[in-house]
Amino acid sequence: METNIENIKLIECPRDAMQGLYDFIPTKRKIEYLNQLLKVGFDTIDAGSFVSPKAIPQMRDSAEVFDGIDWQNTSSKLLAIIANQRGASEAVNFKQISYLGYPLSLSETFQQRNTKRSIATAMENLKDIQELTIANDKTLVVYLSMGFGNPYNDPYDATFVQKFVEELDQLDVKVISLSDTIGVSNPTNISWIFEQLIPQYPHIEFGAHLHSNPATIWEKVDAAYSAGCRRFDGAIKGFGGCPMAKDDLVGNMVTEDMVSYFNQNSIGLGINKEAFEKAQQLALDVFPVR
């Protein structure tokens, strides 16, 4: 079967997988794992964050981690999450970082709970962060959390989402990733939102940062891909994500399953199979097995 070479971007998110863990992962182990991921062939590695250590204690060593990464011998780019201008000011000093990721919620309730700021204030902060990002030759990635709906009865429809995207477009944001913060996405609304946005804003790169249980991964990837999305976030073994009812975990999209989907559909990814398998084994030493 002939392989179809497309510009699919897989974004591996160890930062997202690590940040909620109670036990601190030693810095040396983080660096070892990230260096292995850099050999796989992912487009981007979400490797750390510059946020308050009181809020995310697991990421308090991100500066040391970025300094320890073997970033000069890889084709993968590095991304760091920032929550405000202070974090952005710190992150832009690292020449190894290409992308700054900024979470912005479509839900006012979640924005207040998550950052204790309003959406309006967060958008004002974003203007300053974008200026800083551009001045330092970085690229801003805005993660629109609650991107596929919310449980708070806050506004959510096509017009509402497009309003946010239009504001981001006016700020010259080039990459917007729709994030399913609590696992509410399904193939129907995934297709719907990407079909609304991608044709209207062909100059913006739209991504999917989805959460899923293992049974629905392929159908969610297929829905986003069929609607034109070509940027996908995931985490090896599906680590991270949101705890749900009883013993079920809706985690990050399992990277191995996404790779299997694209391989099954003869869509080339440029993944180094041996390095990928080694990263999967190493992940078992980094994360608690669930």
Side-chain angles (χ1 to χ4, degrees):
M1 185 179 295
E2 184 178 351
T3 298
N4 181 23
I5 303 298
E6 291 195 53
N7 188 27
I8 301 295
K9 294 183 178 180
L10 288 185
I11 317 302
E12 181 63 19
C13 301
R15 183 273 320 165
D16 198 4
M18 292 177 184
Q19 68 177 10
L21 297 179
Y22 179 79
D23 293 330
F24 185 73
I25 301 170
T27 303
K28 183 177 179 180
R29 182 171 293 179
K30 287 174 182 167
I31 292 171
E32 179 187 13
Y33 183 53
L34 290 167
N35 280 339
Q36 182 59 40
L37 292 176
L38 289 170
K39 299 175 183 178
V40 174
F42 295 115
D43 180 83
T44 302
I45 309 292
D46 176 359
S49 63
F50 293 89
V51 299
S52 169
K54 292 181 180 179
I56 310 291
Q58 185 65 250
M59 296 289 105
R60 64 180 184 262
D61 61 347
S62 284
E64 188 177 351
V65 167
F66 277 110
D67 279 336
I69 292 174
D70 184 18
W71 60 278
Q72 293 180 307
N73 295 301
T74 180
S75 61
S76 299
K77 295 172 284 294
L78 294 172
L79 180 148
I81 294 293
I82 51 94
N84 50 37
Q85 192 171 4
R86 181 207 59 78
S89 297
E90 187 175 357
V92 295
N93 291 320
F94 290 80
K95 58 184 177 182
Q96 55 268 57
I97 295 175
S98 298
Y99 294 109
L100 271 58
Y102 181 78
L104 176 69
S105 183
L106 291 173
S107 160
E108 186 69 52
T109 302
F110 185 74
Q111 184 73 51
Q112 293 282 0
R113 290 185 179 187
N114 193 41
T115 67
K116 296 181 172 55
R117 287 177 291 165
S118 67
I119 290 174
T121 299
M123 189 68 79
E124 284 299 317
N125 295 155
L126 177 60
K127 294 178 182 178
D128 295 331
I129 291 169
Q130 175 68 320
E131 290 179 3
L132 186 63
T133 302
I134 293 173
N136 286 273
D137 197 28
K138 311 292 187 187
T139 299
L140 186 64
V141 179
V142 174
Y143 287 91
L144 287 179
S145 64
M146 299 292 172
F148 299 92
N150 65 79
Y152 310 117
N153 293 318
D154 287 342
Y156 184 86
D157 58 28
T159 302
F160 184 74
V161 178
Q162 288 166 3
K163 172 180 174 292
F164 271 77
V165 173
E166 183 60 34
E167 287 189 59
L168 296 176
D169 187 29
Q170 291 174 5
L171 295 176
D172 200 27
V173 173
K174 302 295 187 184
V175 186
I176 299 173
S177 190
L178 277 294
S179 301
D180 179 15
T181 313
I182 56 171
V184 299
S185 64
N186 60 62
T188 299
N189 66 350
I190 290 170
S191 295
W192 173 77
I193 192 62
F194 284 119
E195 287 172 353
Q196 297 293 317
L197 296 176
I198 291 174
Q200 291 190 56
Y201 301 93
H203 52 287
I204 294 177
E205 180 181 340
F206 287 97
H209 182 102
L210 306 175
H211 290 169
S212 179
N213 63 54
T216 60
I217 289 173
W218 273 43
E219 58 189 278
K220 289 186 177 185
V221 174
D222 184 68
Y225 174 76
S226 298
C229 179
R230 295 296 182 266
R231 180 186 179 96
F232 295 85
D233 287 20
I236 286 176
K237 306 295 182 187
F239 292 123
C242 299
M244 302 302 280
K246 299 181 180 179
D247 293 328
D248 293 334
L249 250 180
V250 174
N252 283 302
M253 295 286 275
V254 180
T255 303
E256 300 94 308
D257 288 351
M258 291 197 294
V259 170
S260 294
Y261 167 85
F262 289 115
N263 287 341
Q264 185 71 23
N265 288 280
S266 301
I267 299 169
L269 298 171
I271 295 295
N272 182 310
K273 183 179 179 181
E274 182 178 348
F276 188 33
E277 290 175 351
K278 187 172 181 180
Q280 293 172 56
Q281 289 299 315
L282 194 56
L284 299 177
D285 295 327
V286 175
F287 301 98
V289 177
R290 64 183 187 190

